[in-house]
Amino acid sequence: MMGNQRAAFGEVLIEIGHENPDVVVINTDIATSTCANGFAAVFPERSFNVGVAEQNAVTAAAGLSTVGLIPIVSTYAVFATMRACEQVRTSVCYPNLNVKIVASHGGLQVGADGPTHQGIEDMSLMRSLPNMTVIHPSDDVSVKKAVRSMVAMKGPVYLRVCRNDLPTLWDEKDEFVLGKGRVWRESPDDQVTIIAVGFMLSRALQAARELERDGIPARVVEIHTLKPLDEELILACARDTKGIVTAEDHNIIGGLGSAVAEVLAEAGLGTRLVRVGIRDVFAESGPFEELMDKYGLGVADIIAAVKKLV
Amino acid sequence: MLKTELEQMAKLIRRDILEMVHEAGTGHPGGSLSAVELVTALYFAEMNVDPKNPTWADRDRFILSKGHACPVSYAALARKGFFPLEELKTLRKLNSILQGHPDMKKTPGVDMTSGSLGQGLSVGFGMALGAKVTGKAFRVYVLLGDGELQEGSIWESAMAAAKYKLNNLVAIVDCNGLQVDGRCSDVMELEPLADKWRAFNWAVRQIDGHDFDQILAALAWARKQGGPVVILAQTVKGKGVSFMEDAVQWHGLAPNKEELEKALAEIG
């Protein structure tokens, strides 16, 4: 079954709007694209479109939060984290304000719009800001859970969602805990752990199924919260298996692979690590699945990475 | 507070600014001195604030968008009773509640962290919008520098505040005509400034920013407008100290002992 993270965000936003009168939404002209337009239709008095002006959107959200409201800024990953980066840093993270940023169009998963709209640096940038929580769910169902968790916690949050449809993996009944990874498959014989974030989880699971046929049992772990990171789970995997492969639809610098490398290096366990991610290049336009395959984010790339470790 | 009392308070705040920046050995006296009457009028004649309850939900808000001028805010807050005057001696020192630029989490009475130019008006827009959403009657005052208006984000927020007709938002521009690299007119021309704001659908009033009668009249006028207002206050950078007046080098320079004594003697 397939689902869409943007649509899920739009749906849960309306549910939360009914439950919590403090939630307000700042749009930046692209509400029809981020799917925050549904909230605007139901709650026009709590939805504000500031036009194509992301710096003002983020900083206005900071102001709104100081009067006790819970502002959610809705835009694309590129603009939220780069056009308005310093506003996020100085007016949101430094004073630790209760501002939520939900950014669509993360990664090459964007596809045909090309590199201008493919946010491949966003998680790295947001992870480096003190006080910031960084979340990137893997499907539509977990987006809804993540948005609920985001609104329930105090403090700045960056939540990345994907543009295109992707497989639904989570069940409504599953528990989503911020800062806690989720083990998707494991056995006592696991040789390697694949740690994935976002859309790459479905590719990691497919890789694990193919590896199983080749006689290589692999554990698959989802890290949906890049910060704070579930270090305990990562270290447990490092102890249980021969090596770790990370998989992310993000530049190879500063994202999940880097975060895992930091934990492993400081633990001094000598764990071998192979990172699957965009190899520090700008990509191009194209159908997203083929595009991701071309830029090293394919199932075959994950399998090859695992085989380097066994 | 009577006009004579405001003038006396302004004198005390000028002395506080010079003494604290001298004690710190670092800081921004020029743009602090130019804003003394504006900030004094706000805290001692205009704004509804409670020093005993700095986070009171219904208080009027003040955002020092030109955050480097925080000595003037700190002096006003201390004189208003938000914290003891002795704290002013700790400006910019380790473990101080008085950071080099305003920090809302450290200083009682500071409504917003600032220091990176061009963001205060957006914050003020958000606060004023928040007052409307929550049905509160408080007003929001944002003090901007003239050089700061070169930041594009200022005009993003100007558009937005006019769109939402925020009649609870007052921007005050401390037009001292100088910025770090020289005269604003040389670095990046801002004129015709009043026309720019009018073109963004703001009500504009131009005043002498050192004249309390004009400041108070403008603030009273602001309350009667149907949307956001900007007060363009003509000021002198370094006002009150002859050798600092209209002198660009005093933007970010602390007076030494001799200079401090000379300056204090002039202020009286």
Side-chain angles (χ1 to χ4, degrees), chain B residues 2-56:
Chain B
L2 296 170
K3 187 182 166 190
T4 51
E5 292 171 311
L6 287 171
E7 282 166 349
Q8 188 55 35
M9 182 58 70
K11 194 177 275 192
L12 291 174
I13 287 175
R14 276 209 164 81
R15 295 180 65 94
D16 291 338
I17 291 168
L18 291 159
E19 285 171 346
M20 87 175 90
V21 175
H22 165 73
E23 174 68 29
T26 159
H28 297 85
S32 300
L33 292 169
S34 63
V36 168
E37 282 76 16
L38 297 169
V39 172
T40 302
L42 286 171
Y43 276 101
F44 295 91
E46 173 72 6
M47 292 199 305
N48 192 16
V49 294
D50 179 3
K52 291 186 184 63
N53 188 4
T55 58
W56 174 39

Side-chain angles (χ1 to χ4, degrees), chain A residues 58-210:
Chain A
V58 166
T59 323
L64 282 159
S65 76
T66 66
V67 306
L69 295 166
I70 306 172
I72 300 177
V73 178
S74 173
T75 180
Y76 291 166
V78 167
F79 311 129
T81 68
M82 285 168 268
R83 175 65 64 92
C85 186
E86 202 247 340
Q87 279 80 2
V88 176
R89 172 194 178 269
T90 304
S91 285
V92 175
C93 288
Y94 173 33
N96 201 12
L97 295 176
N98 198 23
V99 170
K100 319 299 181 187
I101 299 167
V102 177
S104 170
H105 288 52
L108 298 189
Q109 218 267 359
V110 169
D113 281 340
T116 54
H117 285 59
Q118 293 160 352
I120 63 167
E121 313 87 348
D122 57 327
M123 296 195 290
S124 169
L125 292 163
M126 294 298 102
R127 202 168 71 84
S128 72
L129 298 177
N131 293 329
M132 184 60 107
T133 292
V134 181
I135 313 167
H136 181 28
S138 57
D139 74 348
D140 55 323
V141 173
S142 56
V143 160
K144 289 191 175 182
K145 294 173 183 291
V147 171
R148 287 189 171 281
S149 301
M150 170 187 88
V151 170
M153 68 163 275
K154 278 261 184 196
V157 176
Y158 176 73
L159 193 154
R160 181 206 230 203
V161 300
C162 295
R163 179 188 185 282
N164 289 303
D165 291 354
L166 67 191
T168 298
L169 303 168
W170 284 66
D171 189 89
E172 297 288 352
K173 296 192 293 291
D174 294 337
E175 194 189 6
F176 181 97
V177 184
L178 271 184
K180 289 288 170 205
R182 177 171 176 185
V183 179
W184 280 84
R185 33 178 306 157
E186 66 178 330
S187 77
D189 304 323
D190 289 340
Q191 295 187 29
V192 173
T193 303
I194 307 169
I195 302 178
V197 62
F199 176 64
M200 292 301 283
L201 175 62
S202 64
R203 293 194 159 197
L205 288 167
Q206 196 185 328
R209 286 191 292 272
E210 293 182 24

Side-chain angles (χ1 to χ4, degrees), chain B:
Chain B
M1 196 177 259
L2 296 170
K3 187 182 166 190
T4 51
E5 292 171 311
L6 287 171
E7 282 166 349
Q8 188 55 35
M9 182 58 70
K11 194 177 275 192
L12 291 174
I13 287 175
R14 276 209 164 81
R15 295 180 65 94
D16 291 338
I17 291 168
L18 291 159
E19 285 171 346
M20 87 175 90
V21 175
H22 165 73
E23 174 68 29
T26 159
H28 297 85
S32 300
L33 292 169
S34 63
V36 168
E37 282 76 16
L38 297 169
V39 172
T40 302
L42 286 171
Y43 276 101
F44 295 91
E46 173 72 6
M47 292 199 305
N48 192 16
V49 294
D50 179 3
K52 291 186 184 63
N53 188 4
T55 58
W56 174 39
D58 292 318
R59 73 193 184 281
D60 289 335
R61 266 66 166 184
F62 175 70
I63 301 160
L64 184 70
S65 193
K66 47 173 285 184
H68 57 275
C70 55
V72 66
S73 292
Y74 295 161
L77 290 170
R79 293 279 167 192
K80 188 77 179 175
F82 280 89
F83 50 82
L85 278 167
E86 295 82 70
E87 292 287 345
L88 298 179
K89 295 194 186 83
T90 70
L91 172 72
R92 290 181 166 239
K93 293 180 180 169
L94 270 183
N95 306 315
S96 174
I97 64 164
L98 304 178
Q99 295 294 293
H101 291 81
D103 183 334
M104 67 189 289
K105 293 294 168 84
K106 287 207 160 81
T107 312
V110 168
D111 291 318
M112 182 63 198
T113 296
S114 63
S116 172
L117 298 177
Q119 300 186 28
L121 192 58
S122 281
V123 173
F125 160 64
M127 286 181 180
L129 195 60
K132 301 288 184 190
V133 173
T134 55
K136 293 199 175 289
F138 67 77
R139 294 174 66 75
V140 182
Y141 299 88
V142 182
L143 184 63
L144 300 153
D146 46 1
E148 179 183 11
L149 304 182
Q150 292 157 2
E151 289 279 8
S153 54
I154 290 287
W155 304 100
E156 291 186 3
S157 39
M159 265 187 280
K163 172 184 172 180
Y164 290 100
K165 299 187 169 56
L166 297 178
N167 61 352
N168 52 350
L169 178 62
V170 179
I172 304 169
V173 185
D174 178 5
C175 296
N176 61 37
L178 290 176
Q179 56 190 113
V180 176
D181 275 352
R183 301 214 166 271
C184 298
S185 54
D186 293 331
V187 176
M188 181 51 67
E189 182 61 84
L190 291 157
E191 294 298 336
L193 191 54
D195 288 345
K196 282 191 174 70
W197 287 99
R198 283 190 199 102
F200 279 76
N201 293 322
W202 283 57
V204 184
R205 184 143 165 161
Q206 292 174 281
I207 61 163
D208 175 343
H210 298 302
D211 181 326
F212 279 112
D213 288 333
Q214 291 190 38
I215 297 168
L216 298 178
L219 291 169
W221 161 84
R223 288 176 182 269
K224 298 188 192 112
Q225 307 306 307
V229 308
V230 60
I231 298 168
L232 301 178
Q234 200 63 49
T235 60
V236 176
K237 200 158 182 170
K239 175 74 175 178
V241 180
S242 60
F243 58 92
M244 290 186 180
E245 285 193 358
D246 202 34
V248 74
Q249 66 269 29
W250 289 99
H251 171 85
L253 184 66
N256 62 27
K257 187 77 191 158
E258 192 185 330
E259 289 160 340
L260 174 70
E261 279 166 11
K262 192 163 169 243
L264 292 178
E266 285 186 18
I267 288 164

